[in-house]
Amino acid sequence: MGTVALSAGGPEVGVQGLGCMGMSFAYGPTDTDAARATLSRALDLGVTFFDTADVYGAGENEQFLAPFFQAHRDEITIATKFALGIDPNQPGVRTIRNDAPYIRESVDASLRRLGVEHIDVYYMHRRDTSVPIEETVGTMAELVSAGKVGHLGLSEVTAAELRAAHAVHPITVVQSEWSLFSRDVEASVVPAAAALGVGFVPYSPLGRGFLTGSFVQAESELTDDDFRRSQPRFTGDNAAANAALLEPLRTVAAAHGASPAQIALAWVQQQAEVHRLPVVPIPGTRKPTRVEENTAATRIHLTEAELALLEPIAGKVAGDRYADMSFTSAGRD
């Protein structure tokens, strides 16, 4: 697999990364042995960019990844995040903090859990609008000066927020949901990133598994602790309507002798050419066979006709990507 710099002066990483959230959080029961094998297989295949966050399992995800990260520290780029909190007694209740004391406390806690001396890419996971973003990024910049953090990232920010942040300290990468089902970032955030020389890391490039055909109705097919059951586009009439949108994806997949997942990933990766910026998607999986399938997508190039066939899908999707869109860039733009 090829490599790309996340931005000018940013770390060089494999053109596809690995989202690690589901290995211990949000997507139901996990086979930990299979998850550990997935990490090793990903590295064998050229994946060097591994993504986690302190909120995933209240630190459990970082702890789970720590032995692998420590064993391969010189080979990989570690990304984690601060800002989000979830009340264990009320999983549906989220808190967001971007204030300086919280940031300093959070980075030290992540470093302890990960067992490393510095974090390569440190993200503001979500935006706390009560704190000026200039103050937040100023505090994050202090972590770079202290050697605790190598590069700064922002997740789910608007174009205006990105520009304001970048004026304080160079932002290496923006992370937001971006897929055949979720293209709101293309309106202003992606162009702003391209203009500033900032890379883009699409999370959920497989539509949280929906684009692969692995499930249709979240309420009846997924376990009670799977948070996709609360996402509007995967339930009720929305889910049935959205499942019908996948036919063009299957058509293109058949033409390539590929899976729908591979075509969905190839589409995201090809947005680097379309929008002229580095794009490193981070599909999540807990199975070695899936990471083999996903990384093989880096060798697929779609024709203009195939891109045109896939183009209308996002505009027909029923339901928002979150029940509360105020946490997203689209909800504030």
Side-chain angles (χ1 to χ4, degrees), residues 290-302:
R290 290 299 186 199
V291 85
E292 291 167 0
E293 177 184 349
N294 292 346
T295 53
T298 63
R299 299 187 289 275
I300 297 174
H301 195 273
L302 304 178

Side-chain angles (χ1 to χ4, degrees), residues 25-311:
F25 178 71
Y27 288 155
T30 296
D31 181 331
T32 56
D33 289 339
R36 294 195 189 284
T38 300
L39 293 169
S40 296
R41 187 63 180 134
L43 185 59
D44 290 343
L45 293 167
V47 174
T48 60
F49 187 50
F50 294 84
D51 180 275
T52 182
D54 60 1
V55 72
Y56 301 159
E60 289 181 4
N61 198 255
E62 290 178 327
Q63 292 174 320
F64 173 80
L65 296 166
F68 174 79
F69 284 176
Q70 293 164 24
H72 301 282
R73 188 65 189 95
D74 295 336
E75 305 168 73
I76 64 173
T77 298
I78 299 172
T80 192
K81 316 176 192 75
F82 73 90
L84 264 179
I86 296 178
D87 186 338
N89 298 314
Q90 302 180 79
V93 177
R94 295 184 177 189
T95 58
I96 302 177
R97 288 183 60 182
N98 290 175
D99 57 282
Y102 179 83
I103 295 170
R104 296 182 186 120
E105 176 185 326
S106 295
V107 72
D108 287 341
S110 285
L111 287 167
R112 285 194 301 271
R113 286 190 293 264
L114 292 167
V116 297
E117 294 183 354
H118 75 279
I119 294 161
D120 299 307
V121 179
Y122 198 46
Y123 287 101
M124 180 191 77
H125 202 166
R126 290 293 186 271
R127 173 91 168 92
D128 176 359
T129 55
S130 70
V131 180
I133 198 163
E134 294 85 353
E135 291 184 17
T136 299
V137 176
T139 302
M140 295 171 72
E142 293 173 8
L143 307 181
V144 177
S145 298
K148 295 180 178 182
V149 169
H151 302 272
L152 302 186
L154 303 172
S155 180
E156 290 287 357
V157 291
T158 66
E161 290 164 348
L162 173 58
R163 293 189 193 98
H166 196 72
V168 175
H169 186 280
I171 301 300
T172 295
V173 67
V174 168
Q175 180 178 137
S176 285
E177 187 166 354
W178 194 8
S179 73
L180 280 169
F181 260 35
S182 301
R183 298 181 58 180
D184 52 76
V185 292
E186 295 175 34
S188 59
V189 183
V190 170
L196 294 170
V198 174
F200 213 97
V201 171
Y203 72 79
S204 298
L206 295 174
R208 303 194 185 278
F210 194 86
L211 290 168
T212 71
S214 62
F215 74 98
V216 175
Q217 285 285 351
E219 293 161 307
S220 60
E221 298 176 50
L222 303 179
T223 57
D224 290 345
D225 56 351
D226 193 310
F227 93 115
R228 289 172 291 184
R229 291 166 59 97
S230 68
Q231 293 185 291
R233 59 181 48 171
F234 303 143
T235 58
D237 292 341
N238 287 346
N242 291 335
L245 301 177
L246 300 181
E247 190 56 38
L249 186 60
R250 288 191 284 265
T251 298
V252 176
H256 284 266
S259 68
Q262 289 173 322
I263 299 305
L265 285 172
W267 181 89
V268 174
Q269 290 155 186
Q270 212 156 319
Q271 299 312 299
E273 299 174 21
V274 175
H275 296 279
R276 300 176 183 271
L277 80 169
V279 176
V280 180
I282 50 169
T285 184
R286 299 173 284 193
K287 298 177 180 178
T289 53
R290 290 299 186 199
V291 85
E292 291 167 0
E293 177 184 349
N294 292 346
T295 53
T298 63
R299 299 187 289 275
I300 297 174
H301 195 273
L302 304 178
T303 67
E304 290 298 321
E306 289 167 339
L307 291 173
L309 187 63
L310 299 172
E311 180 67 24

